Amino acid sequence: MKNFNFSKTLATLILFGGLFSIKAQVTGFAINGLTTPTSMPTSICGMTANISFSALTPSTSSTGTATIPYVITGNNFTGFQFVSQVNWGDGMVNTSNGGTGTSGTNISMAPPLTHTYTTPGTYSISTMVYNSSNQTYAMDSLLLTVGSCTANFYCLIQVDCDNNGTVDSQINTPVPVTLTNGTTTYTDTTQNNMFMINNIWAGNYTLSIDPSWLAANNYVIGGIIPSPTVTVGSGTTTTLITLHCASQTTMLCATGQIYCDANDNGVMDSGETPIANAPVSVNGTVTYSNPNGFFSMSYPGVINDTVNLSISSAWLAQNGYAILNNNGGNVFAIFGTPCNSGIPVTNVNIPLSCGGNVSTTLCYSGFVFCDANGNGVMNSSEAPLAGAPVLLYNTSAGNSSVTVYTDSTGYFSYCGQLSNSTYLIATISQAWLTYNGYNPTVGVLTLIGSPSGTTNVGYIAVNCGGTTTTCADLWTTVTPWIGYYQNTTAYVKINWGNYGPGAAGNYTMTMSFPAGVTVNTSSIANGGTVSGNTITWNLSSASSFFSNYDVITFNVPSGLTSGTAHYFTSTIAPTNGTDCSTANNAGSLLQLVGNSYDPNDKTVARPASTIQTIGEPVSSLDGATQETLTYTIRFQNTGTAPAQNIFILDTLDADLDWSTLTLVEATHNMQIVNLGNGVMRFEFPSIWLADSTTNEPESHGHLVYRIRENASATVGTEIENTAYIYFDWNAPIITNTTYNINVIAIDGLTENNALNVNVFPNPASESLTISCEGDFDYQLIDLSGRIISSGSATDSESISVSNAAAGIYQLNVQTNKGNSSLKVIKQ
C-alpha cells in the first residue's frame, strides 16, 4: 500500500527533532523511496515481525518469512546515518538508528526493529526513514497478518509427590486441562498422560487444570515448564506440568517375604520354601512376589497412618494355603512409611501353612519333535520343533498353568512353584498346532519333576504331516524404537528369524516405508537395496533357528499434520521351498506423526477389515475368518542398575479368543504364566537387562504376540488392552491402552448400512453430517482412541472437524436398533 497521509508525515517528522524545510539544500545520500520485494508474504505463521533495511539493492542476508526486508532508494549514495520510526499498528511505536556505506548489505539497527503481537490479526504497519543531514525521508505502509497458521499443543503431566525432584508416577486417568487466550478456550482431558490440541491458532495462552479436579484427587500444581503463560508458535509446542501431592499425602512403601513356615516358628529357615506369584495389595495397589517370595510396592497414603496390607484369600484357598499366627486372617495392619526418605520402610513377612502342597523347587523338561514314523520316540533323523508353546498344568491346583517355549533343539524347561506334587501335565495348544499347519492330535504327557535338576525328560510327539523336515518357519515384525516427529530422524526396528525345523536357506525380506519419507541408506545392513519406498534383502542361512534385527533410520519431512498415519511393513518368504506357517510372514507398524517417545509402550497391528453386516458374527461371513491382532509390548530399563527380573501383566480383552494367543517373538528368554480370567504374566526371569546409562542399546526389550477375536465378535466390537511392566520390585509402569474396533469398509464417498446411517461429505474438510432415522448417540474417535466429538441427536447432526488433524477417524453411531461403525476421512 503506497498512499500516504502528508499531515501524518509531518507529525511524524516532528518526533525526529522538529519541523524542517522540505526545500532545504540536499547534500549526501538523498532518500527518495522505500521498496519491498514483490515476493514478500502478506502473512506470517508466528506472532513476531521484524523489519530490516539495505541501501539501493536487497540484502541476501535479510531472510525469513517473519522479516519485512526494506530497500532504501535515493541519489548520490555515500555513507550516511538515518533514523527509522515504525508504527506497528497495535499502538506500539519503535524508533531506531542505523547507518551504512555499502549498498546491498543488511544495515544493523540499534535497537533492532522487532515486535511481538499479543493476539493474531491483520495490522497496518507504517515505516519511515529520515536522513537528518539533508532532511530527506521516505515512508511506506503495508498490511501484515500475524498468527495466520494453525499449530499443535501437547502437554505432559507427571507427579513428583514429595517434591524431591524425582518423578514418582504418571497419571493415566483423564485430567481436565484448559488452554485459553481470553478469546478462545480449548478444554479437554488427557489421554495416556497427554493433553493434545491440534490445529489451534498461534498466540499466547494460559494453561490450567480444573481446581475442583485437583482438590478431589489431592494434588497441587508444583510447576509448569516453562510457565503457565504458553506461547504457541508454528509446529508443535510442548509443556510439562508437575503435580505435587497435597501436604498430607506422599508415596509410601512396603516390603516383605512370603514363604512356607514348615515348623511354625515365624522365621524362614533353611530348607523352607519361598512362594512366588502371591498377590499382595494395599489400598487397591496390587503386586506379586518374585521367585524368592519377596515383594516390594509403593502406594499413596498418609505417613504413619495405619492401612491394611492383604494377601488374596481366593488365591490362598485355590492353592490350599493358610496364614499362620495372624489374628487378622489374610489382613495385616501396617504403618505408612515414605519411600526414599532414609527411614526403613515397613517390612511384613507372611508365613504360610502350606501342608503338603509345596515341596522344594522342582524342574520339568522335555523335547518337542516331528514324529515322522509315528513311534512316539525322537529318532536321530527326526526334526525338533523350535518355538513351540508347551502348556504345563497342575491339575491339583485348579489347573493353573504356565507356558514355556522350545529352543532351536526343541528343548524346554521350567523350574518354579507351579507344582504341589511331583508331576505336571504337559501338552501343546491345539489351536497353535492348527494355526501353524500341524495335525492337532497331540495328547498329554506326564512330566516328573526333579529337585536337583532336569534329569526326568519327557518327549512330546507332533504329527507334522511329513512336511516340516524340509520347510522353515520364517517370521518378521516391525517395532518402534523412539518417538516419531516431523522434520526429524525416525528409528524403526525390523526383526526376523526362523523357528525351523528346516533350515532357512535362501530367503527374501522386504520393508516398505511411507511416501515422502526417505531412508538413510547408510543405516541399512545385510546388503539391503532400495527401490522406491521398499528395501529388499536377499539373504541366506543354513541355521534351523535364528533371530536377527536391524535398526534403520528414516528422514521424516516437515509440513506434516500431527496425527498423520505412517505405516511401515515387512514381509519374509523362502526363495525356494515351503514355509511351515505363513501367518507370521508379515509385520506392520503404525506411527502417528507427533508421537512422543515412551520406551515402555504397547502397540497393535491388524489386517484390513472385512465388510460385515451389522450384527452378523465374524465366523458367519462367507470366506471370512476371525481377525487376528498382533500386539507388541516394549520395555526399557531407564534406571541406574541392571534389572534382574522383569515381568509383564496383560489382561486380555474379553472379546479375544484367549486360547489362540501365540508368541511371535521375544528379545529374551520368556515364559508365560496363565493366571486365569484372561490375565497373562509374561516372565523374563534372570534377564539382567542392562540400564540405559551404562549400555543404552542393550537396555531395550520387547515381545510380540498374536491373538484372534472371538468368533462371536460383531461389527462395532471394541477391543482394548493395557500392559503393566514390573522391573524387579518397583511399582509397575503402565503402558498406553490400545484400541481396535470392527468397522464397515468404505465404498465411495457415502456409507450405507442396515441401520440406514449415512455420513457426508466423506472425505470432509470443515464439517460432516450424520443422517440417521430417529434418536441416536455418536462418537468420533481418532486412531489413538481419543474421542474428538460426541453427543446425541435426532434424524441428523452436523459435526465440525475443522480443528481435527487430517487422517482417518472412526464414527460410532448407536441407535435403539443396534450399533454402526463407519470410517471417516478428514482431508
Side-chain angles (χ1 to χ4, degrees), residues 672-747:
I672 303 176
V673 179
N674 184 350
L675 299 177
N677 296 321
V679 182
M680 298 295 172
R681 176 170 164 139
F682 303 97
E683 295 184 344
F684 296 87
S686 300
I687 185 174
W688 289 106
L689 188 69
D691 60 275
S692 58
T693 58
T694 303
N695 189 341
E696 202 281 338
E698 296 301 322
S699 66
H700 297 265
H702 71 257
L703 66 95
V704 181
Y705 69 86
R706 61 174 181 258
I707 188 169
R708 293 182 184 177
E709 288 181 306
N710 281 330
S712 58
T714 60
V715 175
T717 296
E718 298 174 310
I719 297 175
E720 297 180 335
N721 267 101
T722 306
Y724 293 73
I725 305 172
Y726 293 79
F727 290 83
D728 290 328
W729 305 286
N730 296 310
I733 296 174
I734 306 173
T735 71
N736 56 292
T737 299
T738 61
Y739 177 84
N740 292 91
I741 184 171
N742 280 341
V743 300
I744 300 172
I746 292 179
D747 184 11

Side-chain angles (χ1 to χ4, degrees), residues 17 65 146 343 360 478 599 720 739 777:
T65 58
V146 299
I343 303 173
T360 55
V478 189
E720 297 180 335
Y739 177 84
D777 299 323

